[in-house]
Structure formats: structure tokens, C-alpha cells
Amino acid sequence: PICVHVSPWMQGGAGSPAATTDASTGAFELGPYPPGEYSLTIRADGYPTIRFARHAIGPDEVWDVGTL
């Protein structure tokens, strides 16, 4: 199985711990996090890194990045 590392970062704040996906499905879920602007980095050995630019997240909002 491929190990995927998912790292959310709050703008102007400290980085959040990286999370590893479910190896059998590739699904991941992070949080809850406080409202703010976040960036997201996803990487797996042998594949290009995927970076999502700033995205504002409100209270109780879910940021669904879809299928990658």
C-alpha cells in the first residue's frame, strides 16, 4: 500500500500535525479545526505533491477536496 501524508496549515498560525490516510481506501478526515484560512499539502512517495492554496473555513464548515 501507498502511504499518503496530509498536512493542513492555518495561515498565520503554527502547522498542524500531519495525518496519514486509511491505506485500504485512501480516505482521510481531519479536524475539527478552528475557523480560519488553511492550506493543505498532500504527498505520497513516487507521486507529485498536491498543494491547495488558501481556503477560508467557517465555524462547523467542511472543506471537501473531492477525489484526487
Side-chain angles (χ1 to χ4, degrees):
I2 297 171
C3 184
V4 178
H5 300 276
V6 182
S7 302
W9 292 90
M10 183 175 192
Q11 301 302 318
S16 299
T20 302
T21 63
D22 178 328
S24 64
T25 66
F28 63 91
E29 188 173 312
L30 307 170
Y33 290 102
E37 286 193 358
Y38 289 85
S39 296
L40 185 66
T41 301
I42 302 169
R43 66 178 180 79
D45 293 339
Y47 292 88
T49 297
I50 298 171
R51 290 186 176 89
F52 289 90
R54 292 181 186 181
H55 179 84
I57 298 176
D60 300 319
E61 183 178 348
V62 173
W63 180 12
D64 184 346
V65 298
T67 301
L68 307 173

